[in-house]
Amino acid sequence: ETGVTQSPTHLIKTRGQQVTLRCSSQSGHNTVSWYQQALGQGPQFIFQYYREEENGRGNFPPRFSGLQFPNYSSELNVNALELDDSALYLCASSLDGTHGYTFGSGTRLTVV
Amino acid sequence: AQSVTQPDIHITVSEGASLELRCNYSYGATPYLFWYVQSPGQGLQLLLKYFSGDTLVQGIKGFEAEFKRSQSSFNLRKPSVHWSDAAEYFCAVGAPYSGAGSYQLTFGKGTKLSVIP
């Protein structure tokens, strides 16, 4: 079975720009979550999608938005990038939340 | 709201020695509890999880953890550490969503493990 894959692995953006990060869930998983991990910190929950609908959101502003597609892949969009958005963004998938979440290797975003 | 405390930022052990990483959580009900490991520049790998039942949980790579409700703890243990165990370890608590069968994870700040040959 394939795991969770994220693209791109690294990217550099300028403050004020917009970025889209992509995630392909593990086969058979219908739930996808996104986390932000700043340097030296634990991951922080951004939001979660369950069967294409957002069903949970952490303490992140509306400029962080997302989508889940019918094949359960997902996108994270961030508008008006700020320097503090520089972090590792992790995608995780699960089947109904059972058996835990499988994480991808992440996308390292640098905002300059 | 739930929270997780990992009191040790950095631990150094000798190869072959035993290991215990501490984790305390705050949550109003019976939590889902997890330990994840992260190697530099990598994502998170699930070591073990507790949902219910037996409070001593066995995981991958020879790790185990014990859920102690009275102490709000879920400490990770390994009897003999290998050099390849050097990594960062994260404890997490899962807060279930009612009826959705899923939950969000709240992570601690992590404990970095160094292993001396």
Side-chain angles (χ1 to χ4, degrees):
Chain A
E1 67 183 14
T2 58
V4 177
T5 56
Q6 294 186 242
S7 62
T9 54
H10 297 83
L11 76 165
I12 300 173
K13 289 286 188 177
T14 302
R15 189 172 49 183
Q17 285 188 315
Q18 179 265 343
V19 68
T20 297
L21 310 182
R22 293 179 174 82
C23 172
S24 179
S25 302
Q26 183 167 318
S27 177
H29 285 186
N30 56 14
T31 304
V32 65
S33 303
W34 285 91
Y35 290 80
Q36 180 195 66
Q37 186 178 20
L39 204 59
Q41 301 294 316
Q44 300 241 320
F45 176 72
I46 302 175
F47 47 58
Q48 177 170 276
Y49 282 83
Y50 175 66
R51 296 185 176 180
E52 301 180 58
E53 293 199 6
E54 184 180 299
N55 75 339
R57 189 176 185 92
N59 190 26
F60 281 80
R63 60 190 185 83
F64 285 78
S65 63
L67 280 174
Q68 187 182 30
F69 299 101
N71 66 355
Y72 300 133
S73 65
S74 177
E75 285 182 355
L76 164 65
N77 299 290
V78 187
N79 294 321
L81 283 167
E82 301 176 359
L83 297 179
D84 285 348
D85 295 334
S86 296
L88 180 68
Y89 288 85
L90 295 164
C91 171
S93 72
S94 175
L95 174 60
D96 296 331
T98 57
H99 308 298
Y101 282 79
T102 301
F103 280 80
S105 297
T107 294
R108 173 73 62 187
L109 172 65
T110 302
V111 182
V112 298
Chain B
Q2 64 274 15
S3 65
V4 176
T5 302
Q6 294 182 246
D8 304 305
I9 296 173
H10 191 185
I11 284 182
T12 300
V13 300
S14 297
E15 192 169 15
S18 64
L19 171 70
E20 183 169 28
L21 302 182
R22 296 184 289 164
C23 172
N24 292 97
Y25 68 90
S26 174
Y27 183 62
T30 300
Y32 299 160
L33 294 163
F34 307 82
W35 276 99
Y36 283 87
V37 61
Q38 185 177 39
S39 298
Q42 299 297 311
L44 300 170
Q45 181 182 22
L46 179 66
L47 287 175
L48 47 77
K49 60 187 182 290
Y50 172 79
F51 283 6
S52 64
D54 192 346
T55 56
L56 184 61
V57 180
Q58 301 297 320
I60 62 170
K61 303 184 179 186
F63 286 93
E64 67 176 26
E66 186 171 13
F67 170 52
K68 293 186 177 180
R69 185 190 305 275
S70 61
Q71 298 177 19
S72 297
S73 70
F74 189 57
N75 294 348
L76 182 71
R77 301 192 294 247
K78 186 170 185 178
S80 178
V81 170
H82 188 263
W83 64 266
S84 61
D85 293 324
E88 188 138 27
Y89 291 79
F90 292 94
C91 180
V93 60
Y97 298 140
S98 175
S102 57
Y103 46 88
Q104 71 179 66
L105 296 173
T106 298
F107 287 84
K109 293 188 175 182
T111 297
K112 183 177 180 179
L113 173 66
S114 297
V115 180
I116 301 173

